Amino acid sequence: MLKKFFNKQLASVIEWKDPQQNDLLYKFPSTHDEIKDASKLILAPGQGCVLVYEGKITDVLTEANMYNLVTDNHPFITSLIKIRQNFESEHKLKIYFFRTAEVVNQYWGTASPIKYIDSSYNLPIELGLNGNFSYKITQPKFLFTEIIGSQESYTTEDMKQVITERMISQIRSLFAQKKYAYNTIDAELTNITQEALDQVKTDFDSLGLLITNYNITGTQFDDETVERIGRIADITTDT
């Protein structure tokens, strides 16, 4: 008991060991969020952290380095009081690690078809799209306070769901406005991708992210669309 008590007073090393490929944010586990004085915080390349002290963000660290943490938690006094009265220290320091390295090759696709009126045949079109994107966190404080909140973990899959919903909404609006011709979409895919990128950039910005790569890699028309266009094309050819 006494040995364990005094071991708690020693300076500790705080680091994000072995982050998984899909980890975006990770709260460092500590008993009652009490960090020992003289603790060492290590940030490896590709990592940053948000320090939340007594409920407020006090710092955001983004450079790989070793940092010395000084808090108002005096472990010897706090631990002694807890042994005698079993209550928690009022001084809390929470440490949230986040990924500063680029998140690459996030695949997306439309769960339901994009519907719009084709400009060539003036017919309703139903189109499925898929592609990929990459991004980096550029505003960690905003992302933490406005999007992620105080969750203890947040993954790239969680973020992809948020991004994809907003991104596809923008793409639907773009196709409704531009009314891309059925027979030119595949040939114009590079230009369409750029126009879509111009639209979705604002959504990434609004999440505290920088989009670093964006592609539409595939298109798929539903069977009814193909059949309708085929009938019109046959009539046009016959005439």
Side-chain angles (χ1 to χ4, degrees):
M1 172 72 176
L2 189 60
K3 182 178 180 181
K4 289 177 63 178
F5 170 74
F6 280 103
N7 280 343
K8 291 174 63 179
Q9 317 316 315
L10 300 177
S12 61
V13 176
I14 298 166
E15 58 185 324
W16 188 7
K17 292 184 177 180
D18 303 321
Q20 301 302 303
Q21 186 175 4
N22 69 337
D23 286 340
L24 199 62
L25 178 137
Y26 163 82
K27 180 181 179 294
F28 180 78
S30 60
T31 304
H32 304 302
D33 297 320
E34 296 176 5
I35 307 298
K36 304 177 183 69
D37 283 343
S39 293
K40 305 289 185 182
L41 170 64
I42 297 176
L43 287 185
Q47 297 178 2
C49 77
V50 176
L51 304 179
V52 180
Y53 182 53
E54 296 188 348
K56 298 179 181 179
I57 294 178
T58 58
D59 210 347
V60 178
L61 306 175
T62 57
E63 294 185 9
N65 207 338
M66 178 182 288
Y67 300 85
N68 294 315
L69 295 180
V70 178
T71 77
D72 288 336
N73 259 351
H74 299 288
F76 182 83
I77 297 174
T78 302
S79 297
L80 182 60
I81 290 175
K82 281 200 282 188
I83 287 177
R84 295 179 61 184
Q85 300 182 14
N86 193 29
F87 80 97
E88 297 180 22
S89 166
E90 61 181 309
H91 303 292
K92 305 295 183 182
L93 175 63
K94 299 181 181 182
I95 297 177
Y96 296 86
F97 289 92
F98 63 89
R99 178 173 177 167
T100 61
E102 185 179 10
V103 179
V104 300
N105 293 330
Q106 299 294 289
Y107 294 98
W108 63 270
T110 51
S112 58
I114 295 172
K115 299 179 181 181
Y116 70 100
I117 302 299
D118 169 85
S119 60
S120 293
Y121 300 103
N122 200 33
L123 289 175
I125 298 292
E126 295 191 17
L127 170 67
L129 296 174
N130 59 73
N132 57 71
F133 61 87
S134 303
Y135 65 91
K136 294 181 69 173
I137 296 175
T138 54
Q139 301 178 57
K141 186 174 181 180
F142 174 83
L143 180 67
F144 179 82
T145 56
E146 302 299 326
I147 307 300
I148 297 177
S150 58
Q151 299 183 56
E152 295 194 355
S153 65
Y154 201 81
T155 68
T156 55
E157 286 297 317
D158 295 327
M159 182 55 71
K160 183 169 74 171
Q161 182 175 350
V162 174
I163 291 173
T164 301
E165 288 177 357
R166 298 188 183 198
M167 184 172 62
I168 292 177
S169 177
Q170 291 277 22
I171 293 174
R172 290 185 190 279
S173 297
L174 178 65
F175 272 74
Q177 176 187 357
K178 296 289 187 175
K179 299 181 179 180
Y180 298 110
Y182 165 89
N183 55 358
T184 64
I185 282 183
D186 288 337
E188 294 293 325
L189 200 56
T190 299
N191 292 334
I192 293 173
T193 297
Q194 184 58 52
E195 291 177 330
L197 174 58
D198 293 339
Q199 293 285 104
V200 304
K201 274 182 179 178
T202 55
D203 287 313
F204 281 83
D205 291 342
S206 70
L207 295 170
L209 307 173
L210 170 68
I211 186 167
T212 56
N213 188 48
Y214 175 80
N215 295 291
I216 298 175
T217 56
T219 61
Q220 184 177 7
F221 294 92
D222 76 308
D223 293 339
E224 290 185 5
T225 295
V226 174
E227 184 180 350
R228 283 195 299 268
I229 298 295
R231 288 200 301 266
I232 295 296
D234 288 343
I235 293 172
T236 303
T237 302
D238 291 340
T239 57

